[in-house]
């Protein structure tokens, strides 16, 4: 079974720190959700992070040595796994989504929107693969890919949706 048959379509949003990746993704989520798409997200953090509060029950479970800790309520569920997971290992959790947006993982080989804030960010274009388009805060010459203003969410979403349908823009 191919990746396309098992998992929803994936789009990465990549860029350097403080380029506007989270802002772009949240706007895409809002726009696409309003059109009826179920969106899942995966966020890569290059540092360590903490989602649990010291002293709370789930924190105590993890501190005691649990490898996986879950907490669930009427409205949501969180699962904390005490080890790294690749994108491919996480994707089965997203099988019911229409689209998975991934923030980060610059060097993974999924279709990408590259976010460029400053001229010194353009060098990222030399290192990334599978670029669909660039979302930028200013116009950069000679990028070699379709370029959109970072605030033009409708056009950026159009690139994503055209890609999902196998069309090119």
């Amino acid at each position: 079974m191919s990746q396309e048959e098992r998992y929803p379509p994936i789009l990465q949003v990549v860029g350097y720190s403080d380029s506007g990746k989270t802002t772009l993704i949240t706007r895409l989520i809002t726009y696409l959700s309003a059109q009826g798409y179920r969106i899942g997200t995966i966020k890569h953090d290059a540092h360590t992070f903490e989602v649990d509060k010291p002293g709370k029950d789930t924190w105590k479970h993890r501190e005691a040595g649990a490898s996986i800790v879950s907490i669930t309520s009427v409205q949501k569920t969180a699962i904390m796994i005490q080890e790294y997971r690749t994108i491919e290992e996480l994707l089965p959790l997203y099988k019911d989504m229409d689209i998975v947006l991934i923030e980060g993982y610059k060097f993974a080989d999924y279709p990408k929107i590259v976010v460029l804030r400053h001229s010194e960010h353009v060098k990222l274009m030399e290192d990334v693969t599978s670029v669909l388009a660039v979302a930028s805060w200013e116009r950069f010459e000679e990028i070699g890919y379709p370029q959109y203003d970072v605030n033009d969410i409708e056009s950026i979403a159009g690139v994503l949706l055209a890609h999902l349908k196998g069309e090119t823009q």
Side-chain angles (χ1 to χ4, degrees):
M1 187 182 301
S2 72
Q3 184 271 333
E4 291 80 17
E5 294 172 294
R6 291 184 294 180
Y7 306 123
I10 297 166
L11 176 75
Q12 289 181 258
V13 175
V14 302
Y16 290 123
S17 181
D18 295 321
S19 61
K21 299 180 300 292
T22 302
T23 299
L24 178 58
I25 280 190
T26 56
R27 290 176 177 172
L28 284 170
I29 293 167
T30 299
Y31 181 86
L32 294 167
S33 295
Q35 294 189 29
Y37 291 96
R38 293 188 67 205
I39 309 297
T41 65
I42 298 173
K43 163 74 170 128
H44 180 258
D45 188 343
H47 310 94
T48 60
F49 65 92
E50 191 60 59
V51 295
D52 214 356
K53 295 179 182 172
K56 298 304 276 181
D57 294 346
T58 52
W59 180 87
K60 290 177 183 177
H61 297 180
R62 288 188 309 115
E63 288 296 305
S67 297
I68 298 177
V69 176
S70 300
I71 184 169
T72 190
S73 70
V74 174
Q75 296 178 334
K76 59 187 150 204
T77 297
I79 301 170
M80 293 166 277
I81 303 170
Q82 293 299 107
E83 58 190 45
Y84 175 79
R85 289 289 192 257
T86 66
I87 293 170
E88 292 73 21
E89 290 170 322
L90 293 171
L91 286 175
L93 300 171
Y94 293 81
K95 66 181 180 348
D96 295 330
M97 297 294 103
D98 296 315
I99 301 167
V100 176
L101 297 176
I102 298 176
E103 180 176 343
Y105 292 96
K106 286 183 196 79
F107 306 111
D109 196 26
Y110 293 101
K112 292 176 186 62
I113 301 291
V114 180
V115 183
L116 304 175
R117 183 180 287 271
H118 306 292
S119 59
E120 50 277 7
H121 290 183
V122 173
K123 66 184 177 200
L124 178 61
M125 299 302 296
E126 299 170 11
D127 298 323
V128 295
T129 59
S130 303
V131 177
L132 293 178
V134 171
S136 60
W137 296 85
E138 59 184 87
R139 187 88 182 143
F140 298 107
E141 298 303 319
E142 301 179 26
I143 291 289
Y145 296 96
Q147 191 174 167
Y148 301 90
D149 183 281
V150 73
N151 295 306
D152 186 358
I153 301 305
E154 189 171 336
S155 293
I156 296 168
V159 169
L160 166 61
L161 295 173
H163 174 73
L164 298 182
K165 295 174 185 171
E167 303 167 359
T168 55
Q169 291 231 311

